[in-house]
Amino acid sequence: MSLAEDVRFGVLGPIRAEVGGRPAALGGSRQRAVLALLLIARGRSVPAERILSEAWEGSPPPSVTTLHGYVAGLRRTLEPERAPGAPARLLVREGPGYALRAAPDAVDAERFTELAARGRHALENGEPEEAADLLERALALWRGPAYADFDGAAFATPDATRLEELRAAVREDRLAAVIAAGRHAAAVGELETLVAEQPLRERGWELLALALYRSGRQADALAALRRVRRRLADELGIDPGPGLRDLEAAVLAQDPRLAPPPERRNPRPAPAPEPPGRVPSPRTAVPAPPGNLPFSLSSFVGRGGDLAAVAGLLGGHRLVTLTGPGGVGKTRLALEVARARADADGPWLVELGGLHVPEPLTATELLTATVSAALGLPTVSSPDRLAATLVERDTLLVLDNCEHLLAPAAELVHTLLTRCGAVRILCTGREPLGITGEAIYEVPPLPAATEAVELFLHRATAAQPGWTPEPGDRERIAALCEGLDGIPLAVELAAAQCRMLSVGQIADALEDRFTLLVGGSADRPDRHRTLLDTVAWSDQLLEPDERRLFYRLGVFASGFDLDAAAAVGEVAPVLGPLSALVRKSLVTAVPGTAPRRYRMLETLRRYATGALSPAELRDAEERHRAWVLARAENAERHLRGPQGAELLDALSRDQPEFRAAFTSALAGDEGEYVLRLGSALFWFWFRRGHVAEGLAWLTEGFVRAPRASAGVRAPARFAEAALNYLAGYPGAGHLAASRAVEEAREAGDPVTEAGAASYAAYLGLLTGAPLDAASAARAAVETARGTAQVWLEAETLMVQGMVLRVLGDLPGADAAFREAIVAARASGHDWVADGAAWCDMKTACDRGDGLRALAVAGDVLAAMDRYGDISFWLVTVHSTARALALAGRAEQAALLMGAVRAIGARAGVSPELMDPLDGPREAAAVREALPPEEYERHAARGRALSRQEASALLTALIADLTGRRRP
């Protein structure tokens, strides 16, 4: 299908269109809203019903006839040369909706995203001048706020927010490039403006301090760092993130790594040892230790005896559980004990407090997957598989807040301890796990007259710099801490009120609230009730809008940002009340995040949701689900483009919110919502390995929504097909893909139809279904081309190549893979480009051309090293070993096979299972190239290699055999 190539659109400012280089009249606000909705969909079909409800948000929607009139008006404007009655080429009807078939480079937002990605890539590869030019061109596309005509409109907010956040990052990247190019003095003025406009984005301050320091202004650099420290403390009540802290230390020490780079004669210099996208600092120059313990954000007061006691228990026992009431300080004590250890691997913190088991999943599966994710391992869902991964590791796991997952936690811990002799586990919870070998330590409250008073003084001083106790305050503080039972969280909440109240006022309020605790009677309520009373007392001090927001924020399962708080909190504007909650220690701002993220302690979150009436809770959950769906659907439209990697990371951060939304939707029997959200998250699940979880949600959604429309069923069915394929169930995948094709045709959804048809062809071929797989795959490519979605064309071409490979048509497969790579590079869908290249490499091996396969492998492996993708790296090295055997390097091939097996065992990945068609053939080809004893000797040497050593060896081999320049 040809497109109107002379039509261009702009959304980086007021929405506009140009036809033949001239501005086009887009009509009134409703007609422009219709166009904006179609542009946001990026070529996907938007049902007419959704257009009417979203473009007429806040007003009664008109009839479909009115929408047809607006569409006709847009067609006349955008395709003025179209003859009456001729089919539209640009704004087309698809099923029950419409799609705008604009080429990606016809939309300024798409060009901006592509230039931003190219600029970041140049910056990371040591080409600051080119990076600065690309990023300046990207910023020049902006004419005002994104979708300026629709400020506050719900349909435009997610994409506008995404673009504005990317714009802020591009401004920082461009100035980082200017500094890296040696023009640090010229960057200072722009950076001063940048931090004035966005004072809470820490990277801008890092760049400003670095530019000042490199300009010979060390005192000004330190002054800037002090300014941001005060700003963060005053507005958010937090310390700077590690980047700012490390930079300040480096400036004070005049670290030579902060010096300007030497003048370069070559305009395209070699990459510097520091990652140029971030400010150089000792933190980035020195490899980070293993483990994932968070930085401590406040001083640790007292508990010297507890630290020594727990450390001693952990030295003599492989399982230690810290028990005690909520808020007593179990987590903080566990972290301090873990920080003091010198384990070569770890310690690793696994936070379980916000983990709640949804109905379709088992608690053991979810818990095991959470532990593996915290360790940075590919997701596994059984304790046995996780134990196999950790069997040779000498490490400490800290499992925090186990009480609500007691049985599955006990099962997992027992399996790990009995299978992994060098693993130690430190648990926290309100009760022991109850398994053999467990050492239990009851964490006591702080002594009220001593350590609890010191904690109060530390936190009060931090909350109100310059604060000092008045005469007689120490005695009142001791009495106050006694009334709080010495529970650290309660003491800290009380101390935070020193910003507004005197110690006497706090003590008086406490006495009014906690009369049952003053006498210390034997039948007083337990300590957990004391903590709830403390929160309730803090609640009483809130203003009405602060209280309303506090209660509603409790529906977030994990962290959230400002936009999320606004969407769910039903308080406008939200910044003031949210800042107040941060100041009053009811919400925590997470340091070093941009956009800034916030979180609530689990106890506070539970209190907040418990304070809502049933009707208010339902309303808050509905708003949360709407925000989650908008977040996921907006991200999904961009996952196969230049922003894909960072959006996948963002979706990983929001995964607890997705699970909460699924759970509340199923509780309300909203099966269609489950299917829509599952469709939006499909690619995230596919890429990040959450296969079992995705299938569980989708299965439950189909059960709950048997009468869902074809437009809802089709993409969910395609997701089910692809996830079944990854899970190793090609028969179920083929059945689901075939049904998805039928439903997509019924719904008029060619995007889903093309993707599902390609999978149906490939999986049908694998399962022996009676079909002409080559013709079906070719038809899927043609359908994809008709959608103008270049990323989709790339995916279907890759699958077509896979089909032709299986059928033995190697020339045809080679041509399809080459086309797929071109389309993938054009669309920024790097995963397909690398996947197609990997398939192209295997095709070369099928033809016996080992050198050709090695040349392709060099590019693929370089990409995998950039992405840190362990599973794709393993299967690629596995395939490369076969290519080396073909090229006459069987000994090195066996060495790499040994490395892959050992590294894969540690990561829980087997290339032969992931790639069942070629994996066994590749392993056999290398084994058969050597006598058995020779193979085993070289493979044993390979099993001692690390990933870095194996990569270095392979890079050198490829360079020697193909003439490829070593990096």
Side-chain angles (χ1 to χ4, degrees):
M1 180 185 295
S2 62
L3 300 174
E5 297 176 356
D6 59 345
V7 183
R8 300 179 77 81
F9 299 94
V11 299
L12 302 180
I15 193 166
R16 72 177 186 183
E18 293 180 357
V19 179
R22 296 181 178 180
L26 296 177
S29 61
R30 299 298 189 193
Q31 186 162 297
R32 300 164 78 87
V34 171
L35 177 60
L37 271 162
L38 295 171
L39 284 166
I40 289 171
R42 302 186 77 225
R44 308 280 186 91
S45 178
V46 184
E49 181 181 349
R50 189 182 301 180
I51 296 175
L52 289 170
S53 76
E54 295 186 359
W56 275 264
E57 179 187 6
S59 302
S63 66
V64 175
T65 304
T66 302
L67 175 60
H68 293 335
Y70 283 132
V71 169
L74 286 170
R75 283 172 170 168
R76 286 192 297 269
T77 297
L78 301 176
E79 298 186 63
E81 304 301 324
R82 184 170 64 93
R89 298 176 300 156
L90 192 60
L91 206 172
V92 301
R93 183 68 186 256
E94 280 189 353
Y98 294 94
L100 189 69
R101 294 285 186 245
D105 61 359
V107 184
D108 60 359
E110 301 292 340
R111 297 197 301 279
F112 168 70
T113 302
E114 190 260 342
L115 285 168
R118 289 171 56 195
R120 169 63 68 87
H121 183 72
L123 184 60
E124 292 173 347
N125 283 276
E127 300 175 351
E129 296 287 1
E130 181 179 350
D133 176 65
L134 289 167
L135 297 167
E136 190 166 346
R137 286 163 53 195
L139 292 169
L141 294 171
W142 285 75
R143 299 170 286 107
Y147 299 97
D149 319 61
F150 311 106
D151 183 31
F155 75 82
T157 296
D159 207 45
T161 300
R162 176 188 67 85
L163 289 167
E164 293 289 354
E165 290 174 1
L166 182 58
R167 182 189 192 184
V170 168
R171 292 179 69 185
E172 293 165 349
D173 280 348
R174 189 187 74 81
L175 289 166
V178 171
I179 294 172
R183 302 197 303 275
H184 29 269
V188 170
E190 286 189 66
L191 283 164
E192 289 281 11
T193 301
L194 182 66
V195 298
E197 293 174 0
Q198 299 173 335
L200 301 182
R201 287 183 67 94
E202 296 184 24
R203 190 183 178 209
W205 289 97
E206 291 179 15
L207 292 169
L208 173 60
L210 180 65
L212 288 167
Y213 182 86
R214 288 187 174 180
S215 300
R217 300 167 61 183
Q218 180 181 4
D220 290 336
L222 289 170
L225 292 167
R226 286 194 293 270
R227 279 162 54 202
V228 64
R229 181 181 289 276
R230 285 196 302 270
R231 191 73 178 257
L232 293 172
D234 290 346
E235 297 194 19
L236 299 176
I238 63 172
D239 292 327
L244 282 169
R245 296 200 304 270
D246 289 348
L247 179 60
E248 184 174 14
V251 170
L252 286 168
Q254 297 186 342
D255 193 303
R257 286 168 292 188
L258 296 183
E263 184 177 352
R264 301 178 178 92
R265 298 180 181 276
N266 186 345
R268 302 257 179 115
E274 287 283 340
R278 299 289 295 169
V279 177
S281 70
R283 177 174 60 89
T284 57
V286 179
N292 69 339
L293 295 187
F295 288 97
S296 176
L297 300 180
S298 60
S299 56
F300 184 65
V301 178
R303 294 210 184 277
D306 296 325
L307 283 170
V310 176
L313 285 174
L314 200 55
H317 300 78
R318 292 178 54 224
L319 171 61
V320 176
T321 299
L322 307 185
T323 62
V328 78
K330 301 183 293 293
T331 297
R332 186 62 188 270
L333 177 59
L335 290 175
E336 295 301 325
V337 170
R339 287 191 185 102
R341 290 180 61 84
D343 302 86
D345 181 0
W348 298 94
L349 172 64
V350 186
E351 296 174 299
L352 305 177
L355 195 65
H356 302 286
V357 183
E359 275 190 14
L361 302 178
T362 69
T364 301
E365 288 174 345
L366 187 59
L367 177 60
T368 308
T370 301
V371 173
S372 65
L375 271 68
L377 300 171
T379 301
V380 296
S381 57
S382 75
D384 286 333
R385 289 189 62 189
L386 181 59
T389 302
L390 299 178
V391 69
E392 295 181 3
R393 293 177 66 164
D394 183 356
T395 191
L396 171 67
L397 304 182
V398 180
L399 304 185
D400 188 35
N401 290 312
C402 298
E403 58 267 8
H404 62 302
L405 296 168
L406 208 59
E411 177 188 353
L412 174 62
V413 169
H414 181 268
T415 301
L416 294 180
L417 293 177
T418 54
R419 296 273 303 279
C420 308
V423 170
R424 293 177 185 270
I425 299 176
L426 178 59
C427 294
T428 74
R430 296 180 188 177
E431 58 182 304
L433 297 183
I435 62 178
T436 303
E438 181 181 30
I440 302 167
Y441 186 81
E442 179 76 20
V443 179
L446 293 174
T450 54
E451 292 183 356
V453 172
E454 290 303 311
L455 177 63
F456 185 100
L457 294 172
H458 274 78
R459 298 301 183 257
T461 304
Q464 184 67 39
W467 179 88
T468 56
E470 299 291 334
D473 273 356
R474 278 188 172 268
E475 291 75 16
R476 282 191 285 266
I477 292 170
L480 186 153
C481 292
E482 180 69 32
L484 293 175
D485 285 341
I487 300 294
L489 177 57
V491 172
E492 291 181 337
L493 287 168
Q497 306 308 321
C498 286
R499 288 189 287 262
M500 296 179 295
L501 302 174
S502 68
V503 172
Q505 288 174 309
I506 296 171
D508 290 341
L510 181 62
E511 288 171 6
D512 290 340
R513 187 66 184 170
F514 300 142
T515 53
L516 289 176
L517 299 178
V518 174
S521 59
D523 60 345
R524 70 184 185 184
D526 61 27
R527 294 185 180 98
H528 184 63
R529 180 61 189 167
T530 302
L531 182 58
L532 287 179
D533 277 348
T534 304
V535 180
W537 165 68
S538 299
D539 178 12
Q540 290 178 358
L541 299 178
L542 297 176
E543 297 296 328
D545 58 343
E546 297 168 4
R547 181 175 297 110
R548 180 180 182 83
L549 180 62
F550 172 50
Y551 290 174
R552 288 173 169 270
L553 291 178
V555 300
F556 286 102
S558 182
F560 53 91
D561 57 21
L562 191 63
D563 290 324
V568 174
E570 204 178 6
V571 174
V574 75
L575 182 58
L578 181 59
S579 298
L581 293 177
V582 171
R583 289 194 304 272
K584 296 174 183 179
S585 301
L586 292 171
V587 170
T588 302
V590 182
T593 52
R596 184 70 63 195
R597 288 180 67 83
Y598 307 88
R599 60 181 177 84
M600 292 174 67
L601 294 174
E602 179 67 12
T603 300
L604 299 176
R605 192 183 75 80
R606 289 174 180 256
Y607 174 91
T609 53
L612 292 170
S613 70
E616 289 171 332
L617 180 58
R618 283 194 300 272
D619 180 69
E621 288 178 338
E622 286 174 5
R623 288 176 173 273
H624 178 261
R625 289 198 297 273
W627 168 78
V628 163
L629 184 60
R631 185 93 142 198
E633 289 185 336
N634 185 67
E636 189 275 337
R637 288 190 284 266
H638 302 275
L639 285 177
R640 280 98 161 175
Q643 276 191 284
E646 59 196 77
L647 288 173
L648 286 170
D649 289 340
L651 292 174
S652 292
R653 287 193 298 271
D654 286 332
Q655 192 168 18
E657 307 308 326
F658 303 142
R659 289 168 175 161
F662 278 124
T663 301
S664 70
L666 290 175
D669 209 28
E670 295 189 21
E672 285 206 17
Y673 177 94
V674 172
L675 294 179
R676 282 187 65 187
L677 183 57
S679 299
L681 293 176
F682 147 57
W683 191 243
F684 163 68
W685 288 333
F686 190 96
R687 291 294 306 274
R688 293 298 166 97
H690 303 295
V691 178
E693 179 175 353
L695 286 172
W697 292 123
L698 289 168
T699 300
E700 193 69 20
F702 281 118
V703 170
R704 300 293 186 93
R707 295 181 179 82
S709 67
V712 172
R713 292 197 313 270
R717 197 80 70 185
F718 175 40
E720 182 185 32
L723 293 175
N724 268 304
Y725 165 56
L726 275 192
Y729 306 124
H734 176 247
L735 178 62
S738 300
R739 294 180 67 182
V741 171
E742 297 170 1
E743 291 165 342
R745 287 172 181 163
E746 179 185 345
D749 179 359
V751 172
T752 299
E753 180 187 345
S758 66
Y759 270 72
Y762 182 62
L763 295 176
L765 182 62
L766 293 185
T767 56
L771 81 164
D772 183 347
S775 298
R778 184 168 55 251
V781 173
E782 293 306 313
T783 302
R785 284 174 173 152
T787 68
Q789 303 287 307
V790 182
W791 66 265
L792 181 61
E793 180 182 350
E795 284 194 7
T796 54
L797 279 166
M798 183 179 74
V799 178
Q800 182 187 29
M802 294 165 68
V803 167
L804 294 174
R805 255 192 94 236
V806 175
L807 293 173
D809 183 0
L810 298 187
D814 185 67
F817 290 141
R818 289 175 184 276
E819 283 190 76
I821 291 171
V822 171
R825 297 294 186 210
S827 62
H829 197 2
D830 288 346
W831 181 84
V832 167
D834 296 326
W838 174 53
C839 293
D840 184 28
M841 182 184 104
K842 295 196 293 182
T843 303
C845 285
D846 292 340
R847 295 196 308 265
D849 190 349
L851 292 179
R852 158 74 180 156
L854 290 171
V856 177
D859 293 325
V860 177
L861 289 166
M864 288 305 97
D865 285 338
R866 288 197 303 271
Y867 301 151
D869 185 324
I870 184 65
S871 57
F872 198 178
W873 181 86
L874 285 167
V875 295
T876 303
V877 175
H878 199 269
S879 299
T880 307
R882 180 190 179 194
L884 283 169
L886 289 170
R889 297 294 184 94
E891 294 180 356
Q892 291 90 341
L895 192 76
L896 288 170
M897 280 294 187
V900 166
R901 182 172 292 275
I903 297 168
R906 290 195 293 270
V909 175
S910 168
E912 293 184 41
L913 295 178
M914 286 185 64
D915 187 16
L917 267 180
D918 294 298
R921 288 198 300 151
E922 291 165 353
V926 176
R927 280 187 173 276
E928 291 168 3
L930 290 169
E933 63 280 3
E934 283 294 298
Y935 175 88
E936 290 300 334
R937 182 166 64 86
H938 293 295
R941 289 174 51 217
R943 286 192 284 272
L945 295 178
S946 67
R947 172 178 173 173
Q948 290 73 23
E949 291 167 336
S951 288
L953 170 65
L954 193 48
T955 299
L957 285 170
I958 291 173
D960 291 342
L961 290 169
T962 66
R964 176 186 172 90
R965 183 175 62 85
R966 299 190 191 189

